[in-house]
Amino acid sequence: MATEPMGVVSVSIVKNTVKDSGVSVHEVAADLVDEEEHQLGFTDIFFRKRKHLIDPDATATKRSVFDDAVLAPHYWPKKNYENIHRFDPSARWTYREEWALTRKIDWKIMVMAAIGFAAMNLDRFNVNQANSSMFLTDLNLTTDDFNLGNSIFRLTFLCAELPSQLVSKRVGPDHWIPTQICLWSLVSLSQFWLTGRTSFLACRALLGALQGGFIPDLLLYLSYFYMKTELPIRLALLWMSADFCSIISSFLAFGILHLDGAAGKAGWRWLFLIEGGITLLIGVAAIFNMPASPTQTKTWFRPNGWFTEREEVIMVNRILRDDPTKGDMHNKEGLTLGRLWTAICDYDLWPLYILGLTFGIPDNPPLTYLTLLLRDIGFNTFQTNLLSIPYQVLGIVTMFLVTLLSEHVGERTFVAMLEDVWTLPFLVALYALPSEPNQWVFFGIVTGLLAFPSVAYLHIDYTEAHLLPFISFTHPIQLAWCSRNAGSVSGRTVNAALYNMFLQANSIISSQIYVASDAPRYERGNRILIVICCINIGILYPGTKAYYIWRNRQRDKIWNVMTVKERDHYLRTTMDVGNRRLDFRFAH
């Protein structure tokens, strides 16, 4: 089983029984939906462009390969697929049922995922807020020690990416995600008892190791419940919620740091203890609120489950009609060494790994050192925490505005590149400032730099049917892009982890650009950032797009001259999987 063919149309719709399946492929009903895929965007939400045009009681079931007697056998779910007992190609449902069900999934599944994502960000970045107080001084740390701690965090985060994905596939993300949250929360709150350089570095190492792989694990889990046209907007909102979380955590830090001296302890110690305790409670809640799949919500503490049998049938069939490859593996089926090695050697994804290595470097150092930069320029601890809020608010505004524009552009590469385009002029302005700049001018430039329009192309689409951009950080653009171009469940699992490993290497590199010898203006560091930004804009992004255009043209030369009979023979006999198949086309 592999990616749904690009450009293949049904050649005959006849009654046919798939051997050993026990389910018939019925003659296609006249009421199946044939409309082009439409991916939900912000213009749909805010301007209600589509809903009033649809009869809520009309059939919402979309035509798929399972309605084609020739193609269906090539895409049938495996017998050990956890939802196979609810799979029925003859099932039909209305838009009213589908809308009510997606709202229910949002409340039951997506809300818990968003809270878990917020917990990761809270424990991951509170060290920056602690750094606005006397954190370094109290522990006798230098800026270089702080750099080393960030590098160790990212290195262990990087090294944990692939093992975390392998564990998640074996035990299931429903078990592994709550375990991760609880474990890293214990490490985070234990920073209350930091004594110096060694304990600081040890905690950063443990925190990175336990958070590594969390984001791909979460994306894999959500893909069990949502169609590819539904997940992007939700992931976009998920990443937008990170900015809201940062704003709330800034206010939280402002209040907690005022506990400085309580029980004879520094305010930054209370920050780690209280926020770590909050995320530990979230981890415990996740244990009881993350079911394994649409048909596995019943348990001893939830005997009736969350969904009715009818809702389970709708969920399973809409997901498999949307992407038949989701029936490739059981959700607790581990990856073989062969599949793992094949994914690692997939050279067609290497251009995206290179982008993951370089794209975020230009704005990472100013973001990481924002609190130190503002302190050095003359602002006090509490002013610094409050002044870290405006760029987050502006980031939400720019994300929304750019999204309204980008939803009309069927483009991944250059939309992803906008972050570097936005960053470059602000880096030049920062570099050109005099040696003793006005603190408010400096604040304005840094705030503008960090308020970049973080646009995401989150169309996790496994066909070439329709391309629409969505909003979020460039990271999820490229993570989804990598997932899309992998083209199989096993490939997506491994390649998403590999992409994130390169992303963490990106962070390790960027953490070494602002060094103590270059403080407080970091002129040499800013010069390096400008060069990297220019390379991204002028070479890497255009080169990636050119590569995928060339690869698709290679496939077209072979596939487009094949007859329908030759294509059917290829689908029945090929050993190619995922993006190795001739009917697969790379997104760009």
Side-chain angles (χ1 to χ4, degrees):
M1 190 185 307
T3 305
E4 185 173 343
M6 314 300 172
V8 178
V9 297
S10 300
V11 294
S12 63
I13 308 298
V14 296
K15 292 182 179 180
N16 182 62
T17 300
V18 180
K19 294 180 179 179
D20 302 322
S21 68
V23 184
S24 295
V25 179
H26 295 265
E27 186 171 357
V28 174
D31 59 353
L32 284 172
V33 177
D34 288 307
E35 68 179 13
E36 286 189 347
E37 287 184 350
H38 178 82
Q39 186 159 280
L40 182 66
F42 284 108
T43 49
D44 294 304
I45 294 175
F46 290 101
F47 303 111
R48 302 181 64 85
K49 287 174 58 181
R50 279 175 52 83
K51 226 170 187 180
H52 68 283
L53 300 176
I54 298 174
D55 177 4
D57 295 313
T59 299
T61 312
K62 293 180 174 62
R63 197 181 308 278
S64 79
V65 292
F66 297 117
D67 303 304
D68 189 315
V70 175
L71 297 177
H74 307 301
Y75 298 93
W76 216 257
K78 289 188 175 180
K79 291 181 179 179
N80 67 342
Y81 174 55
E82 66 276 6
N83 302 311
I84 190 68
H85 61 293
R86 296 289 188 239
F87 177 59
D88 179 8
S90 66
R92 300 291 183 267
W93 55 91
T94 66
Y95 284 104
R96 190 187 303 276
E97 289 179 295
E98 188 167 82
W99 294 337
L101 181 57
T102 52
R103 285 194 298 270
K104 190 172 183 179
I105 297 171
D106 287 339
W107 281 109
K108 299 293 187 181
I109 303 298
M110 194 69 211
V111 169
M112 189 67 245
I115 294 172
F117 187 73
M120 183 197 71
N121 287 314
L122 193 64
D123 284 337
R124 185 176 183 179
F125 298 118
N126 57 10
V127 69
N128 294 331
Q129 292 158 340
N131 204 19
S132 67
S133 64
M134 302 302 292
F135 176 70
L136 296 184
T137 303
D138 290 348
L139 295 177
N140 294 317
L141 301 176
T142 66
T143 302
D144 288 343
D145 292 328
F146 185 71
N147 278 346
L148 180 60
N150 284 331
S151 295
I152 289 175
F153 171 85
R154 287 155 180 161
L155 181 62
T156 56
F157 195 104
L158 181 157
C159 293
E161 286 279 0
L162 193 53
S164 178
Q165 286 284 278
L166 297 179
V167 172
S168 182
K169 277 300 296 173
R170 172 61 67 183
V171 305
D174 56 301
H175 289 152
W176 182 234
I177 289 173
T179 301
Q180 283 180 292
I181 298 174
C182 290
L183 290 176
W184 85 52
S185 298
L186 291 172
V187 173
S188 182
L189 65 85
S190 72
Q191 292 176 105
F192 178 87
W193 293 279
L194 289 178
T195 57
R197 185 174 186 269
T198 301
S199 57
F200 167 68
L201 297 179
C203 281
R204 298 314 291 172
L206 285 172
L207 201 60
L210 293 170
Q211 290 192 341
F214 177 78
I215 293 175
D217 293 339
L218 194 63
L219 296 182
L220 176 65
Y221 177 73
L222 292 174
S223 71
Y224 295 159
F225 295 89
Y226 290 102
M227 298 194 302
K228 60 177 175 282
T229 53
E230 297 169 336
L231 190 55
I233 188 66
R234 288 162 174 82
L235 294 181
L237 292 170
L238 188 70
W239 259 271
M240 283 182 69
S241 71
D243 276 333
F244 286 106
C245 177
S246 296
I247 294 169
I248 293 171
S249 65
S250 293
F251 283 114
L252 192 61
F254 179 80
I256 295 174
L257 289 175
H258 276 88
L259 293 175
D260 191 45
K265 301 296 183 180
W268 59 264
R269 293 186 185 274
W270 292 111
L271 181 71
F272 287 128
L273 184 67
I274 292 173
E275 292 189 349
I278 291 171
T279 56
L280 180 60
L281 293 176
I282 292 173
V284 173
I287 294 173
F288 300 99
N289 289 281
M290 295 191 77
S293 76
T295 62
Q296 294 175 301
T297 61
K298 292 182 180 179
T299 183
W300 63 269
F301 55 83
R302 195 168 49 239
N304 296 323
W306 281 341
F307 305 106
T308 65
E309 181 177 329
R310 170 67 175 167
E311 288 172 332
E312 289 180 357
V313 168
I314 294 173
M315 278 194 290
V316 171
N317 286 278
R318 68 198 292 268
I319 288 168
L320 290 180
R321 281 179 171 275
D322 178 66
D323 180 8
T325 67
K326 290 182 180 178
D328 263 348
M329 300 178 70
H330 190 277
N331 61 2
K332 290 182 172 61
E333 181 181 348
L335 296 174
T336 64
L337 290 177
R339 283 188 171 190
L340 179 61
W341 181 248
T342 298
I344 292 173
C345 295
D346 187 355
Y347 55 83
D348 283 316
L349 292 178
W350 292 356
L352 291 176
Y353 298 157
I354 295 172
L355 290 181
L357 183 66
T358 64
F359 85 93
I361 292 178
D363 48 58
N364 264 346
L367 177 61
T368 302
Y369 286 89
L370 177 64
T371 52
L372 279 178
L373 291 171
L374 294 177
R375 283 286 304 276
D376 288 341
I377 208 71
F379 296 106
N380 63 37
T381 296
F382 302 112
Q383 289 174 328
T384 295
N385 274 291
L386 292 178
L387 289 176
S388 67
I389 295 173
Y391 87 84
Q392 297 163 6
V393 175
L394 288 174
I396 295 171
V397 174
T398 56
M399 281 193 278
F400 177 75
L401 293 177
V402 174
T403 295
L404 294 181
L405 171 66
S406 66
E407 285 184 355
H408 299 285
V409 181
E411 172 63 48
R412 276 179 172 84
T413 309
F414 296 124
V415 171
M417 191 176 72
L418 283 179
E419 180 174 331
D420 286 293
V421 172
W422 175 280
T423 301
L424 182 59
F426 287 103
L427 282 175
V428 172
L430 194 62
Y431 178 73
L433 284 175
S435 57
E436 295 184 5
N438 177 281
Q439 62 181 8
W440 290 106
V441 171
F442 181 86
F443 165 73
I445 292 174
V446 173
T447 298
L449 188 157
L450 298 179
F452 53 82
S454 308
V455 181
Y457 201 115
L458 285 171
H459 189 57
I460 308 178
D461 179 14
Y462 309 115
T463 77
E464 280 292 346
H466 210 51
L467 301 179
L468 291 171
F470 279 87
I471 178 173
S472 186
F473 296 103
T474 300
H475 164 50
I477 303 178
Q478 293 172 180
L479 181 60
W481 192 358
C482 182
S483 175
R484 159 63 177 81
N485 281 356
S488 67
V489 173
S490 57
R492 290 167 208 152
T493 300
V494 176
N495 294 127
L498 290 173
Y499 170 81
N500 272 294
M501 291 173 71
F502 277 85
L503 182 73
Q504 295 312 311
N506 163 323
S507 300
I508 293 171
I509 294 170
S510 65
S511 69
Q512 301 303 313
I513 293 177
Y514 279 7
V515 295
S517 61
D518 197 25
R521 290 292 318 289
Y522 301 106
E523 292 182 356
R524 183 174 65 251
N526 287 331
R527 196 160 54 240
I528 293 171
L529 297 180
I530 290 170
V531 171
I532 294 173
C533 200
C534 290
I535 291 173
N536 288 343
I537 295 170
I539 299 174
L540 296 183
Y541 278 104
T544 298
K545 185 174 184 67
Y547 175 77
Y548 285 131
I549 290 173
W550 173 70
R551 288 291 284 146
N552 287 344
R553 287 175 178 172
Q554 280 188 317
R555 300 274 177 90
D556 286 338
K557 288 179 181 178
I558 301 172
W559 185 257
N560 290 347
V561 299
M562 295 172 67
T563 65
V564 172
K565 189 173 182 179
E566 288 171 333
R567 291 177 182 180
D568 178 52
H569 179 265
Y570 170 80
L571 293 172
R572 284 188 288 105
T573 60
T574 185
M575 299 297 292
D576 298 333
V577 296
N579 62 14
R580 300 266 70 85
R581 287 167 55 111
L582 288 176
D583 56 345
F584 185 92
R585 298 296 178 269
F586 295 98
H588 54 81

